[in-house]
Amino acid sequence: MKTAVFPGSFDPITLGHFDIVERAVPLFDKIIIAIGQNSQKKYMFSIEQRMDFIKKTFKNFPNVEVDSFEGLTIDYCRSKDVNFILRGLRNPADFEFEKAIAQTNRTLTQDNKIETIFLLTSAGKSFISSSIVREIISFKGNYEILVPDAVRV
């Protein structure tokens, strides 16, 4: 079974994230959207809220699951016996950053290769990021056009 982990903080999930998952669904038997927890990071939404947003967003996608984890993504993948990491790319800077992580992961998993699969975000969504959405929310702006319905609180 081909399973991919789509890791991130998803604080909050955006239409860009949705675009990547929706387009990856036909490529994998299962996709696990895995919310990484970092004790050093300050989140706008709790882990429970983020999981709820994602579950509601993908309620009609039977092969999409939601989970959370702490630590390295590759360790989480090993614990789930997953050999694919799904990542979205918005721009060249994303590619350079993600390429370095993917190469590091391959080096760290020489015994059990974990491949990173990159999908380009659709052009109309490539400008959306969670940090931009959080900024708009903090200033009471119209963030609703950048997120799935479940996030519109």
Side-chain angles (χ1 to χ4, degrees):
M1 177 148 87
K2 287 187 296 185
T3 302
V5 166
F6 185 35
S9 60
F10 304 103
D11 186 35
I13 188 167
T14 69
L15 292 178
H17 296 126
F18 181 84
D19 174 64
I20 295 297
V21 174
E22 181 179 48
R23 291 178 29 243
V25 160
L27 305 176
F28 297 97
D29 299 308
K30 180 166 67 169
I31 297 173
I32 302 169
I33 301 174
I35 304 171
Q37 286 291 97
N38 181 339
S39 61
Q40 305 299 318
K41 205 169 177 184
K42 224 176 187 163
Y43 297 104
M44 178 173 272
F45 297 98
S46 71
I47 185 74
E48 294 80 16
Q49 287 175 302
R50 290 179 278 153
M51 288 186 82
D52 187 55
F53 293 157
I54 296 168
K55 285 177 183 174
K56 286 178 180 171
T57 298
F58 293 101
K59 69 180 182 253
N60 295 324
F61 292 75
N63 64 331
V64 174
E65 295 179 8
V66 183
D67 198 6
S68 65
F69 71 100
E70 289 187 31
L72 296 176
T73 301
I74 56 168
D75 290 338
Y76 176 77
C77 289
R78 282 185 185 129
S79 76
K80 296 292 185 178
D81 198 28
V82 171
N83 289 2
F84 298 98
I85 296 174
L86 175 64
R87 298 300 294 156
L89 301 176
R90 295 170 298 178
N91 53 50
D94 277 358
F95 173 74
E96 290 301 325
F97 178 75
E98 293 293 345
K99 179 179 79 167
I101 293 172
Q103 290 172 331
T104 301
N105 286 344
R106 283 187 54 82
T107 300
L108 294 174
T109 61
Q110 289 179 349
D111 58 329
N112 180 20
K113 296 287 186 222
I114 296 177
E115 293 291 342
T116 302
I117 308 299
F118 297 117
L119 289 182
L120 299 176
T121 305
S122 297
K125 306 206 176 38
S126 64
F127 66 94
I128 304 171
S129 72
S130 292
S131 55
I132 288 173
V133 170
R134 287 192 308 273
E135 185 79 1
I136 294 168
I137 291 171
S138 71
F139 286 104
K140 312 244 185 292
N142 183 16
Y143 70 95
E144 292 90 352
I145 61 173
L146 305 174
V147 298
D149 289 344
V151 182
R152 298 173 185 167
V153 289

